Amino acid sequence: MHAASPGPGRRRPRLSVAVGKSGQVLANGERLTPSVAERLRTEMPLLAGMVAFYENNQLAGRGLDGAPEDGVMPLLPPSAPDPMPPLDEKALADAQAATAVLVRQGKVSEPAGAMVIPAQRDGVLFAVGGRDGELYVNGRALTQQWADALRSEPPDLASDVTRLQAMRAEWLDAPPEDRTLALAAGCTDPNCLTPH
């Protein structure tokens, strides 16, 4: 996995790139399709060249091979976890209620395999796999729009949203299947509570 930024002293924009099990290049948790590449070039003009590089690599079947070193760095393994933050019971109850709607709609058979990720202050991510192969977080499918909204509040869970997006992108590489219990062993971070 690579992470690219426009240079020192700047935090945004950021481009995280990985290769899924199928060989598909994933950019910021999404499959690097032509429409996604075009959108990323529009949203991040400073990284347009990097997007084009990874798009061309994908077309040539080279994945991440030959990534330029300027502004690109391998992601380091996670450091020791922070102490477990207190769980925001109200945010958890709201997310569980939204997930219960998915259960009633038949999209999720039950939230037994849920992944619960608490924020340092207020907020929580409550992720469940669906019967349709979708990944739902806080009661909604993890589309790019929903992921962006989740990143803004609470912001300290932004990297967890990106991890969930990458997981969803890998799931979409395979035929849809019941993913209800797929998250039960999906989080090795001690700050992640699963199953719940």
Side-chain angles (χ1 to χ4, degrees):
M1 179 181 282
H2 290 136
S5 60
R10 296 187 181 182
R11 288 187 58 117
R12 292 188 181 267
R14 187 165 186 82
L15 179 66
S16 296
V17 184
V19 176
K21 290 179 183 174
S22 68
Q24 175 81 39
V25 174
L26 310 173
N28 289 354
E30 295 182 274
R31 289 193 231 174
L32 191 58
T33 62
S35 61
V36 168
E38 190 56 41
R39 190 187 79 238
L40 289 173
R41 279 191 283 271
T42 302
E43 293 173 354
M44 302 184 293
L46 293 174
L47 295 177
M50 292 301 300
V51 173
F53 170 83
Y54 287 113
E55 187 177 28
N56 292 335
N57 254 26
Q58 176 170 257
L59 291 171
R62 291 193 305 262
L64 305 180
D65 293 348
E69 293 300 317
D70 185 24
V72 178
M73 61 190 165
L75 295 180
L76 299 174
S79 57
D82 294 330
M84 177 67 80
L87 190 59
D88 182 342
E89 296 295 339
K90 181 184 179 326
L92 179 60
D94 291 346
Q96 287 173 319
T99 303
V101 173
L102 296 174
V103 173
R104 286 193 298 276
Q105 292 172 345
K107 293 180 179 177
V108 176
S109 56
E110 59 181 64
M115 181 187 292
V116 181
I117 307 171
Q120 287 296 323
R121 295 190 182 195
D122 297 327
V124 68
L125 296 177
F126 189 84
V128 293
R131 287 180 167 170
D132 55 0
E134 182 60 81
L135 177 61
Y136 297 93
V137 179
N138 293 5
R140 292 177 56 182
L142 191 60
T143 61
Q144 184 63 45
Q145 183 178 3
W146 183 230
D148 290 343
L150 289 171
R151 276 191 188 89
S152 63
E153 288 191 26
D156 63 305
L157 294 180
S159 62
D160 296 293
V161 172
T162 300
R163 282 192 310 164
L164 290 169
Q165 279 186 291
M167 188 179 299
R168 176 185 186 253
E170 284 187 14
W171 287 5
L172 295 177
D173 281 345
E177 60 181 89
D178 188 337
R179 303 278 187 176
T180 299
L181 298 175
L183 296 178
C187 186
T188 57
D189 183 345
N191 284 344
C192 173
L193 311 174
T194 181
H196 194 279

